[in-house]
Amino acid sequence: LLAPARETAAWADRRRPFDLVLPMDERFDPVEPAERERLRERLLRYRALGATVVHLRFRHVSLAHFLEQLDAVAAEVAPHVA
């Protein structure tokens, strides 16, 4: 998708970069070490594609579980992919 866009005059003429936002096509539970690693790998692949923003999706069973997942991403995932 991006290759043809990069060849246009509009791309060359833009004055500032834009964010490439990609949705996560899978739900993860980053509290689980194996899923946390898969999430890291997926985010690195998305970054290699040029993504600057990714909408994460989690499988959670409660608000407390969701908050634990956010903490896991902040502490164990984000530092490795930022």
Side-chain angles (χ1 to χ4, degrees):
L1 289 173
L2 290 179
R6 287 185 175 122
E7 297 173 7
T8 66
W11 184 283
D13 292 343
R14 64 188 162 82
R15 302 203 189 293
R16 58 185 182 158
F18 63 90
D19 286 321
L20 176 60
V21 181
L22 295 178
M24 188 62 62
D25 60 348
E26 183 177 350
R27 292 182 180 174
F28 292 88
D29 183 354
V31 173
E32 299 296 325
E35 289 201 32
R36 189 167 50 237
E37 183 57 31
R38 283 189 327 109
L39 176 57
R40 266 191 226 123
E41 291 170 1
R42 178 75 55 87
L43 289 171
L44 289 171
R45 284 198 312 262
Y46 278 28
R47 185 175 69 180
L49 292 172
T52 56
V53 177
V54 176
H55 290 274
L56 299 178
R57 298 177 66 197
F58 301 128
R59 278 188 335 273
H60 53 278
V61 295
S62 67
L63 175 59
H65 186 213
F66 179 69
L67 295 175
E68 184 180 13
Q69 290 173 322
L70 291 178
D71 286 341
V73 168
E76 304 292 333
V77 177
H80 301 281
V81 298

PDB file of all heavy atoms in Angstrom, residues 16-49:
ATOM      1  N   ARG A  16       5.147  17.728   6.350  1.00  0.00           N
ATOM      2  CA  ARG A  16       5.393  17.082   7.644  1.00  0.00           C
ATOM      3  C   ARG A  16       5.040  15.603   7.539  1.00  0.00           C
ATOM      4  O   ARG A  16       4.231  15.206   6.702  1.00  0.00           O
ATOM      5  CB  ARG A  16       4.601  17.750   8.756  1.00  0.00           C
ATOM      6  CG  ARG A  16       3.136  17.742   8.506  1.00  0.00           C
ATOM      7  CD  ARG A  16       2.348  18.504   9.526  1.00  0.00           C
ATOM      8  NE  ARG A  16       0.954  18.328   9.135  1.00  0.00           N
ATOM      9  CZ  ARG A  16      -0.047  18.452   9.912  1.00  0.00           C
ATOM     10  NH1 ARG A  16       0.115  18.798  11.139  1.00  0.00           N
ATOM     11  NH2 ARG A  16      -1.262  18.253   9.480  1.00  0.00           N
ATOM     12  N   PRO A  17       5.641  14.806   8.376  1.00  0.00           N
ATOM     13  CA  PRO A  17       5.332  13.365   8.336  1.00  0.00           C
ATOM     14  C   PRO A  17       3.912  13.101   8.842  1.00  0.00           C
ATOM     15  O   PRO A  17       3.308  13.935   9.512  1.00  0.00           O
ATOM     16  CB  PRO A  17       6.372  12.754   9.275  1.00  0.00           C
ATOM     17  CG  PRO A  17       6.786  13.864  10.160  1.00  0.00           C
ATOM     18  CD  PRO A  17       6.619  15.142   9.384  1.00  0.00           C
ATOM     19  N   PHE A  18       3.409  11.975   8.498  1.00  0.00           N
ATOM     20  CA  PHE A  18       2.097  11.585   8.998  1.00  0.00           C
ATOM     21  C   PHE A  18       2.228  10.296   9.780  1.00  0.00           C
ATOM     22  O   PHE A  18       3.236   9.593   9.690  1.00  0.00           O
ATOM     23  CB  PHE A  18       1.092  11.414   7.847  1.00  0.00           C
ATOM     24  CG  PHE A  18       1.448  10.316   6.895  1.00  0.00           C
ATOM     25  CD1 PHE A  18       0.994   9.031   7.089  1.00  0.00           C
ATOM     26  CD2 PHE A  18       2.250  10.577   5.789  1.00  0.00           C
ATOM     27  CE1 PHE A  18       1.339   8.015   6.217  1.00  0.00           C
ATOM     28  CE2 PHE A  18       2.589   9.563   4.897  1.00  0.00           C
ATOM     29  CZ  PHE A  18       2.140   8.295   5.113  1.00  0.00           C
ATOM     30  N   ASP A  19       1.225  10.012  10.597  1.00  0.00           N
ATOM     31  CA  ASP A  19       1.196   8.764  11.349  1.00  0.00           C
ATOM     32  C   ASP A  19       0.556   7.679  10.500  1.00  0.00           C
ATOM     33  O   ASP A  19      -0.457   7.908   9.847  1.00  0.00           O
ATOM     34  CB  ASP A  19       0.394   8.920  12.644  1.00  0.00           C
ATOM     35  CG  ASP A  19       1.131   9.703  13.697  1.00  0.00           C
ATOM     36  OD1 ASP A  19       2.359   9.503  13.812  1.00  0.00           O
ATOM     37  OD2 ASP A  19       0.506  10.502  14.403  1.00  0.00           O
ATOM     38  N   LEU A  20       1.161   6.522  10.521  1.00  0.00           N
ATOM     39  CA  LEU A  20       0.571   5.345   9.907  1.00  0.00           C
ATOM     40  C   LEU A  20      -0.002   4.513  11.039  1.00  0.00           C
ATOM     41  O   LEU A  20       0.738   3.981  11.871  1.00  0.00           O
ATOM     42  CB  LEU A  20       1.625   4.544   9.132  1.00  0.00           C
ATOM     43  CG  LEU A  20       1.134   3.225   8.532  1.00  0.00           C
ATOM     44  CD1 LEU A  20      -0.008   3.474   7.548  1.00  0.00           C
ATOM     45  CD2 LEU A  20       2.277   2.502   7.864  1.00  0.00           C
ATOM     46  N   VAL A  21      -1.326   4.439  11.086  1.00  0.00           N
ATOM     47  CA  VAL A  21      -2.031   3.762  12.172  1.00  0.00           C
ATOM     48  C   VAL A  21      -2.509   2.405  11.674  1.00  0.00           C
ATOM     49  O   VAL A  21      -3.223   2.331  10.672  1.00  0.00           O
ATOM     50  CB  VAL A  21      -3.232   4.601  12.654  1.00  0.00           C
ATOM     51  CG1 VAL A  21      -3.944   3.911  13.803  1.00  0.00           C
ATOM     52  CG2 VAL A  21      -2.773   6.004  13.055  1.00  0.00           C
ATOM     53  N   LEU A  22      -2.088   1.346  12.359  1.00  0.00           N
ATOM     54  CA  LEU A  22      -2.508   0.001  11.979  1.00  0.00           C
ATOM     55  C   LEU A  22      -3.286  -0.643  13.120  1.00  0.00           C
ATOM     56  O   LEU A  22      -2.913  -0.504  14.286  1.00  0.00           O
ATOM     57  CB  LEU A  22      -1.295  -0.869  11.648  1.00  0.00           C
ATOM     58  CG  LEU A  22      -0.481  -0.448  10.436  1.00  0.00           C
ATOM     59  CD1 LEU A  22       0.722  -1.367  10.269  1.00  0.00           C
ATOM     60  CD2 LEU A  22      -1.334  -0.459   9.179  1.00  0.00           C
ATOM     61  N   PRO A  23      -4.350  -1.360  12.807  1.00  0.00           N
ATOM     62  CA  PRO A  23      -5.087  -2.097  13.839  1.00  0.00           C
ATOM     63  C   PRO A  23      -4.411  -3.441  14.104  1.00  0.00           C
ATOM     64  O   PRO A  23      -3.826  -4.034  13.205  1.00  0.00           O
ATOM     65  CB  PRO A  23      -6.463  -2.296  13.216  1.00  0.00           C
ATOM     66  CG  PRO A  23      -6.172  -2.375  11.745  1.00  0.00           C
ATOM     67  CD  PRO A  23      -4.994  -1.446  11.506  1.00  0.00           C
ATOM     68  N   MET A  24      -4.479  -3.877  15.316  1.00  0.00           N
ATOM     69  CA  MET A  24      -3.980  -5.210  15.670  1.00  0.00           C
ATOM     70  C   MET A  24      -5.063  -6.207  15.254  1.00  0.00           C
ATOM     71  O   MET A  24      -6.232  -6.036  15.602  1.00  0.00           O
ATOM     72  CB  MET A  24      -3.710  -5.282  17.174  1.00  0.00           C
ATOM     73  CG  MET A  24      -3.015  -6.529  17.623  1.00  0.00           C
ATOM     74  SD  MET A  24      -1.374  -6.802  16.951  1.00  0.00           S
ATOM     75  CE  MET A  24      -0.467  -5.403  17.573  1.00  0.00           C
ATOM     76  N   ASP A  25      -4.703  -7.198  14.501  1.00  0.00           N
ATOM     77  CA  ASP A  25      -5.683  -8.152  13.986  1.00  0.00           C
ATOM     78  C   ASP A  25      -5.933  -9.320  14.923  1.00  0.00           C
ATOM     79  O   ASP A  25      -6.689 -10.218  14.602  1.00  0.00           O
ATOM     80  CB  ASP A  25      -5.264  -8.653  12.613  1.00  0.00           C
ATOM     81  CG  ASP A  25      -3.913  -9.354  12.638  1.00  0.00           C
ATOM     82  OD1 ASP A  25      -3.212  -9.257  13.657  1.00  0.00           O
ATOM     83  OD2 ASP A  25      -3.555  -9.991  11.635  1.00  0.00           O
ATOM     84  N   GLU A  26      -5.306  -9.298  16.066  1.00  0.00           N
ATOM     85  CA  GLU A  26      -5.419 -10.405  17.021  1.00  0.00           C
ATOM     86  C   GLU A  26      -5.508  -9.820  18.429  1.00  0.00           C
ATOM     87  O   GLU A  26      -4.958  -8.768  18.707  1.00  0.00           O
ATOM     88  CB  GLU A  26      -4.169 -11.277  16.901  1.00  0.00           C
ATOM     89  CG  GLU A  26      -4.160 -12.506  17.757  1.00  0.00           C
ATOM     90  CD  GLU A  26      -2.906 -13.341  17.514  1.00  0.00           C
ATOM     91  OE1 GLU A  26      -2.160 -13.065  16.571  1.00  0.00           O
ATOM     92  OE2 GLU A  26      -2.687 -14.269  18.303  1.00  0.00           O
ATOM     93  N   ARG A  27      -6.173 -10.535  19.313  1.00  0.00           N
ATOM     94  CA  ARG A  27      -6.243 -10.117  20.716  1.00  0.00           C
ATOM     95  C   ARG A  27      -5.185 -10.864  21.509  1.00  0.00           C
ATOM     96  O   ARG A  27      -5.005 -12.063  21.331  1.00  0.00           O
ATOM     97  CB  ARG A  27      -7.618 -10.387  21.291  1.00  0.00           C
ATOM     98  CG  ARG A  27      -8.666  -9.510  20.692  1.00  0.00           C
ATOM     99  CD  ARG A  27      -9.996  -9.745  21.305  1.00  0.00           C
ATOM    100  NE  ARG A  27     -10.951  -8.850  20.661  1.00  0.00           N
ATOM    101  CZ  ARG A  27     -12.226  -8.881  20.892  1.00  0.00           C
ATOM    102  NH1 ARG A  27     -12.722  -9.757  21.748  1.00  0.00           N
ATOM    103  NH2 ARG A  27     -13.013  -8.046  20.271  1.00  0.00           N
ATOM    104  N   PHE A  28      -4.507 -10.140  22.384  1.00  0.00           N
ATOM    105  CA  PHE A  28      -3.427 -10.711  23.181  1.00  0.00           C
ATOM    106  C   PHE A  28      -3.740 -10.576  24.663  1.00  0.00           C
ATOM    107  O   PHE A  28      -4.518  -9.726  25.067  1.00  0.00           O
ATOM    108  CB  PHE A  28      -2.110  -9.963  22.901  1.00  0.00           C
ATOM    109  CG  PHE A  28      -1.567 -10.182  21.533  1.00  0.00           C
ATOM    110  CD1 PHE A  28      -1.956  -9.374  20.480  1.00  0.00           C
ATOM    111  CD2 PHE A  28      -0.665 -11.198  21.284  1.00  0.00           C
ATOM    112  CE1 PHE A  28      -1.458  -9.569  19.209  1.00  0.00           C
ATOM    113  CE2 PHE A  28      -0.157 -11.410  20.019  1.00  0.00           C
ATOM    114  CZ  PHE A  28      -0.557 -10.589  18.977  1.00  0.00           C
ATOM    115  N   ASP A  29      -3.097 -11.418  25.454  1.00  0.00           N
ATOM    116  CA  ASP A  29      -3.086 -11.252  26.904  1.00  0.00           C
ATOM    117  C   ASP A  29      -1.630 -11.081  27.310  1.00  0.00           C
ATOM    118  O   ASP A  29      -0.924 -12.058  27.572  1.00  0.00           O
ATOM    119  CB  ASP A  29      -3.703 -12.444  27.624  1.00  0.00           C
ATOM    120  CG  ASP A  29      -3.759 -12.227  29.132  1.00  0.00           C
ATOM    121  OD1 ASP A  29      -3.214 -11.207  29.623  1.00  0.00           O
ATOM    122  OD2 ASP A  29      -4.343 -13.073  29.829  1.00  0.00           O
ATOM    123  N   PRO A  30      -1.136  -9.838  27.344  1.00  0.00           N
ATOM    124  CA  PRO A  30       0.277  -9.601  27.615  1.00  0.00           C
ATOM    125  C   PRO A  30       0.722  -9.926  29.034  1.00  0.00           C
ATOM    126  O   PRO A  30       1.904  -9.843  29.333  1.00  0.00           O
ATOM    127  CB  PRO A  30       0.456  -8.115  27.302  1.00  0.00           C
ATOM    128  CG  PRO A  30      -0.891  -7.532  27.426  1.00  0.00           C
ATOM    129  CD  PRO A  30      -1.856  -8.612  27.074  1.00  0.00           C
ATOM    130  N   VAL A  31      -0.186 -10.352  29.880  1.00  0.00           N
ATOM    131  CA  VAL A  31       0.197 -10.823  31.207  1.00  0.00           C
ATOM    132  C   VAL A  31       0.901 -12.169  31.076  1.00  0.00           C
ATOM    133  O   VAL A  31       1.815 -12.494  31.841  1.00  0.00           O
ATOM    134  CB  VAL A  31      -1.036 -10.913  32.136  1.00  0.00           C
ATOM    135  CG1 VAL A  31      -0.686 -11.564  33.454  1.00  0.00           C
ATOM    136  CG2 VAL A  31      -1.622  -9.514  32.359  1.00  0.00           C
ATOM    137  N   GLU A  32       0.498 -12.957  30.072  1.00  0.00           N
ATOM    138  CA  GLU A  32       1.100 -14.264  29.820  1.00  0.00           C
ATOM    139  C   GLU A  32       2.421 -14.083  29.064  1.00  0.00           C
ATOM    140  O   GLU A  32       2.443 -13.453  28.004  1.00  0.00           O
ATOM    141  CB  GLU A  32       0.155 -15.137  28.993  1.00  0.00           C
ATOM    142  CG  GLU A  32      -1.175 -15.407  29.660  1.00  0.00           C
ATOM    143  CD  GLU A  32      -1.027 -16.205  30.935  1.00  0.00           C
ATOM    144  OE1 GLU A  32      -0.133 -17.080  30.993  1.00  0.00           O
ATOM    145  OE2 GLU A  32      -1.795 -15.951  31.879  1.00  0.00           O
ATOM    146  N   PRO A  33       3.536 -14.615  29.576  1.00  0.00           N
ATOM    147  CA  PRO A  33       4.845 -14.392  28.949  1.00  0.00           C
ATOM    148  C   PRO A  33       4.910 -14.766  27.468  1.00  0.00           C
ATOM    149  O   PRO A  33       5.484 -14.028  26.672  1.00  0.00           O
ATOM    150  CB  PRO A  33       5.792 -15.249  29.788  1.00  0.00           C
ATOM    151  CG  PRO A  33       5.139 -15.323  31.130  1.00  0.00           C
ATOM    152  CD  PRO A  33       3.659 -15.360  30.839  1.00  0.00           C
ATOM    153  N   ALA A  34       4.326 -15.881  27.079  1.00  0.00           N
ATOM    154  CA  ALA A  34       4.391 -16.299  25.673  1.00  0.00           C
ATOM    155  C   ALA A  34       3.625 -15.318  24.779  1.00  0.00           C
ATOM    156  O   ALA A  34       4.087 -14.969  23.690  1.00  0.00           O
ATOM    157  CB  ALA A  34       3.840 -17.710  25.514  1.00  0.00           C
ATOM    158  N   GLU A  35       2.491 -14.859  25.241  1.00  0.00           N
ATOM    159  CA  GLU A  35       1.711 -13.910  24.446  1.00  0.00           C
ATOM    160  C   GLU A  35       2.373 -12.536  24.443  1.00  0.00           C
ATOM    161  O   GLU A  35       2.311 -11.812  23.446  1.00  0.00           O
ATOM    162  CB  GLU A  35       0.281 -13.819  24.961  1.00  0.00           C
ATOM    163  CG  GLU A  35      -0.486 -15.074  24.646  1.00  0.00           C
ATOM    164  CD  GLU A  35      -1.981 -14.875  24.665  1.00  0.00           C
ATOM    165  OE1 GLU A  35      -2.462 -13.781  24.330  1.00  0.00           O
ATOM    166  OE2 GLU A  35      -2.666 -15.838  25.020  1.00  0.00           O
ATOM    167  N   ARG A  36       3.008 -12.188  25.537  1.00  0.00           N
ATOM    168  CA  ARG A  36       3.747 -10.922  25.602  1.00  0.00           C
ATOM    169  C   ARG A  36       4.858 -10.926  24.551  1.00  0.00           C
ATOM    170  O   ARG A  36       5.057  -9.946  23.838  1.00  0.00           O
ATOM    171  CB  ARG A  36       4.312 -10.741  27.005  1.00  0.00           C
ATOM    172  CG  ARG A  36       4.900  -9.404  27.268  1.00  0.00           C
ATOM    173  CD  ARG A  36       5.158  -9.157  28.745  1.00  0.00           C
ATOM    174  NE  ARG A  36       5.884 -10.214  29.403  1.00  0.00           N
ATOM    175  CZ  ARG A  36       5.453 -10.883  30.477  1.00  0.00           C
ATOM    176  NH1 ARG A  36       4.285 -10.596  31.030  1.00  0.00           N
ATOM    177  NH2 ARG A  36       6.179 -11.818  31.031  1.00  0.00           N
ATOM    178  N   GLU A  37       5.544 -12.037  24.394  1.00  0.00           N
ATOM    179  CA  GLU A  37       6.609 -12.153  23.387  1.00  0.00           C
ATOM    180  C   GLU A  37       6.033 -12.089  21.971  1.00  0.00           C
ATOM    181  O   GLU A  37       6.601 -11.440  21.093  1.00  0.00           O
ATOM    182  CB  GLU A  37       7.403 -13.449  23.585  1.00  0.00           C
ATOM    183  CG  GLU A  37       8.560 -13.607  22.637  1.00  0.00           C
ATOM    184  CD  GLU A  37       9.571 -12.462  22.693  1.00  0.00           C
ATOM    185  OE1 GLU A  37       9.756 -11.852  23.769  1.00  0.00           O
ATOM    186  OE2 GLU A  37      10.180 -12.165  21.641  1.00  0.00           O
ATOM    187  N   ARG A  38       4.908 -12.755  21.742  1.00  0.00           N
ATOM    188  CA  ARG A  38       4.275 -12.691  20.427  1.00  0.00           C
ATOM    189  C   ARG A  38       3.836 -11.261  20.100  1.00  0.00           C
ATOM    190  O   ARG A  38       3.967 -10.812  18.966  1.00  0.00           O
ATOM    191  CB  ARG A  38       3.068 -13.628  20.361  1.00  0.00           C
ATOM    192  CG  ARG A  38       3.451 -15.069  20.189  1.00  0.00           C
ATOM    193  CD  ARG A  38       2.294 -16.018  19.907  1.00  0.00           C
ATOM    194  NE  ARG A  38       1.019 -15.704  20.521  1.00  0.00           N
ATOM    195  CZ  ARG A  38      -0.054 -15.254  19.856  1.00  0.00           C
ATOM    196  NH1 ARG A  38      -0.007 -15.079  18.554  1.00  0.00           N
ATOM    197  NH2 ARG A  38      -1.176 -15.010  20.488  1.00  0.00           N
ATOM    198  N   LEU A  39       3.340 -10.547  21.112  1.00  0.00           N
ATOM    199  CA  LEU A  39       2.940  -9.157  20.912  1.00  0.00           C
ATOM    200  C   LEU A  39       4.157  -8.308  20.564  1.00  0.00           C
ATOM    201  O   LEU A  39       4.106  -7.490  19.639  1.00  0.00           O
ATOM    202  CB  LEU A  39       2.245  -8.616  22.157  1.00  0.00           C
ATOM    203  CG  LEU A  39       1.849  -7.142  22.124  1.00  0.00           C
ATOM    204  CD1 LEU A  39       0.940  -6.833  20.942  1.00  0.00           C
ATOM    205  CD2 LEU A  39       1.205  -6.740  23.443  1.00  0.00           C
ATOM    206  N   ARG A  40       5.261  -8.506  21.271  1.00  0.00           N
ATOM    207  CA  ARG A  40       6.502  -7.776  20.959  1.00  0.00           C
ATOM    208  C   ARG A  40       6.915  -8.014  19.505  1.00  0.00           C
ATOM    209  O   ARG A  40       7.234  -7.072  18.782  1.00  0.00           O
ATOM    210  CB  ARG A  40       7.640  -8.238  21.870  1.00  0.00           C
ATOM    211  CG  ARG A  40       7.823  -7.422  23.087  1.00  0.00           C
ATOM    212  CD  ARG A  40       9.142  -7.807  23.768  1.00  0.00           C
ATOM    213  NE  ARG A  40       8.871  -7.966  25.173  1.00  0.00           N
ATOM    214  CZ  ARG A  40       9.084  -9.043  25.899  1.00  0.00           C
ATOM    215  NH1 ARG A  40       9.637 -10.112  25.372  1.00  0.00           N
ATOM    216  NH2 ARG A  40       8.776  -9.074  27.162  1.00  0.00           N
ATOM    217  N   GLU A  41       6.918  -9.267  19.104  1.00  0.00           N
ATOM    218  CA  GLU A  41       7.316  -9.610  17.739  1.00  0.00           C
ATOM    219  C   GLU A  41       6.396  -8.966  16.706  1.00  0.00           C
ATOM    220  O   GLU A  41       6.853  -8.445  15.692  1.00  0.00           O
ATOM    221  CB  GLU A  41       7.331 -11.129  17.564  1.00  0.00           C
ATOM    222  CG  GLU A  41       8.440 -11.807  18.342  1.00  0.00           C
ATOM    223  CD  GLU A  41       8.315 -13.321  18.369  1.00  0.00           C
ATOM    224  OE1 GLU A  41       7.357 -13.868  17.763  1.00  0.00           O
ATOM    225  OE2 GLU A  41       9.169 -13.960  19.001  1.00  0.00           O
ATOM    226  N   ARG A  42       5.105  -9.006  16.981  1.00  0.00           N
ATOM    227  CA  ARG A  42       4.142  -8.397  16.047  1.00  0.00           C
ATOM    228  C   ARG A  42       4.354  -6.891  15.956  1.00  0.00           C
ATOM    229  O   ARG A  42       4.350  -6.319  14.866  1.00  0.00           O
ATOM    230  CB  ARG A  42       2.723  -8.706  16.518  1.00  0.00           C
ATOM    231  CG  ARG A  42       1.624  -8.101  15.672  1.00  0.00           C
ATOM    232  CD  ARG A  42       1.433  -8.825  14.350  1.00  0.00           C
ATOM    233  NE  ARG A  42       1.207 -10.231  14.544  1.00  0.00           N
ATOM    234  CZ  ARG A  42       0.015 -10.797  14.754  1.00  0.00           C
ATOM    235  NH1 ARG A  42      -1.062 -10.062  14.791  1.00  0.00           N
ATOM    236  NH2 ARG A  42      -0.080 -12.098  14.920  1.00  0.00           N
ATOM    237  N   LEU A  43       4.583  -6.239  17.081  1.00  0.00           N
ATOM    238  CA  LEU A  43       4.810  -4.796  17.066  1.00  0.00           C
ATOM    239  C   LEU A  43       6.084  -4.434  16.313  1.00  0.00           C
ATOM    240  O   LEU A  43       6.125  -3.434  15.589  1.00  0.00           O
ATOM    241  CB  LEU A  43       4.835  -4.244  18.484  1.00  0.00           C
ATOM    242  CG  LEU A  43       3.478  -4.232  19.198  1.00  0.00           C
ATOM    243  CD1 LEU A  43       3.655  -3.883  20.660  1.00  0.00           C
ATOM    244  CD2 LEU A  43       2.517  -3.275  18.517  1.00  0.00           C
ATOM    245  N   LEU A  44       7.109  -5.248  16.447  1.00  0.00           N
ATOM    246  CA  LEU A  44       8.342  -4.996  15.694  1.00  0.00           C
ATOM    247  C   LEU A  44       8.106  -5.144  14.193  1.00  0.00           C
ATOM    248  O   LEU A  44       8.636  -4.374  13.394  1.00  0.00           O
ATOM    249  CB  LEU A  44       9.453  -5.929  16.172  1.00  0.00           C
ATOM    250  CG  LEU A  44      10.009  -5.619  17.558  1.00  0.00           C
ATOM    251  CD1 LEU A  44      10.942  -6.734  18.022  1.00  0.00           C
ATOM    252  CD2 LEU A  44      10.707  -4.262  17.587  1.00  0.00           C
ATOM    253  N   ARG A  45       7.292  -6.115  13.800  1.00  0.00           N
ATOM    254  CA  ARG A  45       6.966  -6.274  12.378  1.00  0.00           C
ATOM    255  C   ARG A  45       6.167  -5.078  11.872  1.00  0.00           C
ATOM    256  O   ARG A  45       6.413  -4.571  10.776  1.00  0.00           O
ATOM    257  CB  ARG A  45       6.187  -7.564  12.146  1.00  0.00           C
ATOM    258  CG  ARG A  45       7.062  -8.794  12.201  1.00  0.00           C
ATOM    259  CD  ARG A  45       6.408 -10.007  11.562  1.00  0.00           C
ATOM    260  NE  ARG A  45       5.046 -10.249  11.983  1.00  0.00           N
ATOM    261  CZ  ARG A  45       4.692 -11.121  12.925  1.00  0.00           C
ATOM    262  NH1 ARG A  45       5.603 -11.838  13.550  1.00  0.00           N
ATOM    263  NH2 ARG A  45       3.432 -11.289  13.242  1.00  0.00           N
ATOM    264  N   TYR A  46       5.209  -4.606  12.676  1.00  0.00           N
ATOM    265  CA  TYR A  46       4.413  -3.443  12.280  1.00  0.00           C
ATOM    266  C   TYR A  46       5.301  -2.210  12.167  1.00  0.00           C
ATOM    267  O   TYR A  46       5.140  -1.412  11.257  1.00  0.00           O
ATOM    268  CB  TYR A  46       3.296  -3.196  13.282  1.00  0.00           C
ATOM    269  CG  TYR A  46       2.062  -4.060  13.091  1.00  0.00           C
ATOM    270  CD1 TYR A  46       2.123  -5.320  12.511  1.00  0.00           C
ATOM    271  CD2 TYR A  46       0.828  -3.611  13.524  1.00  0.00           C
ATOM    272  CE1 TYR A  46       0.992  -6.098  12.361  1.00  0.00           C
ATOM    273  CE2 TYR A  46      -0.315  -4.387  13.376  1.00  0.00           C
ATOM    274  CZ  TYR A  46      -0.226  -5.621  12.792  1.00  0.00           C
ATOM    275  OH  TYR A  46      -1.356  -6.381  12.643  1.00  0.00           O
ATOM    276  N   ARG A  47       6.227  -2.057  13.091  1.00  0.00           N
ATOM    277  CA  ARG A  47       7.139  -0.914  13.025  1.00  0.00           C
ATOM    278  C   ARG A  47       7.985  -0.986  11.752  1.00  0.00           C
ATOM    279  O   ARG A  47       8.213   0.018  11.088  1.00  0.00           O
ATOM    280  CB  ARG A  47       8.030  -0.847  14.259  1.00  0.00           C
ATOM    281  CG  ARG A  47       8.905   0.417  14.251  1.00  0.00           C
ATOM    282  CD  ARG A  47       9.688   0.572  15.492  1.00  0.00           C
ATOM    283  NE  ARG A  47      10.714  -0.463  15.543  1.00  0.00           N
ATOM    284  CZ  ARG A  47      11.577  -0.593  16.513  1.00  0.00           C
ATOM    285  NH1 ARG A  47      11.553   0.213  17.539  1.00  0.00           N
ATOM    286  NH2 ARG A  47      12.481  -1.546  16.489  1.00  0.00           N
ATOM    287  N   ALA A  48       8.440  -2.185  11.384  1.00  0.00           N
ATOM    288  CA  ALA A  48       9.224  -2.355  10.166  1.00  0.00           C
ATOM    289  C   ALA A  48       8.418  -1.976   8.921  1.00  0.00           C
ATOM    290  O   ALA A  48       8.987  -1.542   7.920  1.00  0.00           O
ATOM    291  CB  ALA A  48       9.728  -3.793  10.057  1.00  0.00           C
ATOM    292  N   LEU A  49       7.104  -2.107   8.998  1.00  0.00           N
ATOM    293  CA  LEU A  49       6.237  -1.696   7.889  1.00  0.00           C
ATOM    294  C   LEU A  49       6.048  -0.187   7.844  1.00  0.00           C
ATOM    295  O   LEU A  49       5.524   0.338   6.871  1.00  0.00           O
ATOM    296  CB  LEU A  49       4.867  -2.370   8.018  1.00  0.00           C
ATOM    297  CG  LEU A  49       4.837  -3.876   7.825  1.00  0.00           C
ATOM    298  CD1 LEU A  49       3.463  -4.420   8.171  1.00  0.00           C
ATOM    299  CD2 LEU A  49       5.205  -4.229   6.399  1.00  0.00           C
TER     300      LEU A  49
END
